[in-house]
């Protein structure tokens, strides 16, 4: 005779047949001699520097972050390379969100892909983490005229003054 099975029976047999999936270990960071933990701050600094290296990136961060950066720099603080970068590291994997201002004239979709590749290469090479995603948000486009205006407002250094 045929065996009567219910959906509950099928689910129970399937659960018994599949082992519980534990998060996969990152063998670069977990060895038999110990583990290495990399803070989000480290990854965000690497990602921020890697994004700035890509030609076509005018700045990182949205309007508010850039304004706070300008205020911070006016008081003599150095530029925050983490500006516009958000990182989450879990189980040896990093997820990165980055906000940029693109230069006018660049192909934004190609720029975003170049940023992704550069960030992924830098983070994976320097940390051993695997990067599962890099999300790029383009907040603005820097126009050529804006660039000229910022150069015009920069005070000129005359000869003999330092």
């Amino acid at each position: 005779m045929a065996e009567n099975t219910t959906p509950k029976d099928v689910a129970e047999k399937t659960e018994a047949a599949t082992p519980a999936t534990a998060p996969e270990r990152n063998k670069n960071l977990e060895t038999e001699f110990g583990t290495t933990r990399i803070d989000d701050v480290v990854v965000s600094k690497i990602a921020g520097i890697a994004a700035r290296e890509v030609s076509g990136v005018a700045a990182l961060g949205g309007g508010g972050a850039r304004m706070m950066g300008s205020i911070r720099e006016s008081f003599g603080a150095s530029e925050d390379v983490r500006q516009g970068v958000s990182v989450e590291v879990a189980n040896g994997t990093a997820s990165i969100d980055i906000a940029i201002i693109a230069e006018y004239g660049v192909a934004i979709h190609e720029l975003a892909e170049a940023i992704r590749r550069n960030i992924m290469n830098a983070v994976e090479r320097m940390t051993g983490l695997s990067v599962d995603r890099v999300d790029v948000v383009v907040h603005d486009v820097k126009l050529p005229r804006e660039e000229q205006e910022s150069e015009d407002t920069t005070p000129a250094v005359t000869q003999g003054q330092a």
Side-chain angles (χ1 to χ4, degrees):
M1 285 199 145
E3 185 180 324
N4 288 336
T5 58
T6 65
K8 181 180 177 187
D9 294 334
V10 172
E12 288 173 356
K13 287 179 185 176
T14 305
E15 286 175 13
T18 57
T21 55
E24 191 175 314
R25 275 182 35 174
N26 183 327
K27 292 180 180 153
N28 293 324
L29 302 175
E30 294 183 33
T31 69
E32 61 183 283
F33 302 110
T35 61
T36 302
R37 184 176 170 279
I38 299 172
D39 280 341
D40 295 358
V41 173
V42 174
V43 177
S44 64
K45 285 182 178 183
I46 294 169
I49 292 169
R52 283 178 173 84
E53 291 173 350
V54 178
S55 178
V57 174
L60 294 187
R66 289 191 355 259
M67 183 179 72
M68 291 304 294
S70 295
I71 293 169
R72 184 175 43 253
E73 288 174 23
S74 70
F75 287 112
S78 62
E79 181 180 13
D80 185 7
V81 296
R82 298 175 298 149
Q83 178 178 303
V85 182
S86 174
V87 172
E88 184 178 322
V89 177
N91 300 322
T93 303
S95 297
I96 302 167
D97 294 328
I98 188 150
I100 69 157
I101 307 299
E103 292 178 358
Y104 176 80
V106 300
I108 293 175
H109 63 286
E110 292 174 2
L111 175 63
E113 190 56 35
I115 291 168
R116 269 188 207 95
R117 275 195 313 271
N118 208 41
I119 288 174
M120 290 176 85
N121 289 338
V123 170
E124 289 175 352
R125 181 177 52 82
M126 291 185 199
T127 66
L129 291 167
S130 60
V131 179
D132 67 341
R133 66 183 301 115
V134 176
D135 294 325
V136 179
V137 177
V138 181
H139 279 289
D140 201 355
V141 173
K142 185 173 185 179
L143 302 175
R145 186 169 184 211
E146 292 173 353
E147 206 169 283
Q148 285 179 339
E149 288 173 2
S150 67
E151 288 174 6
D152 292 342
T153 59
T154 305
V157 177
T158 59
Q159 188 175 9
Q161 294 181 343

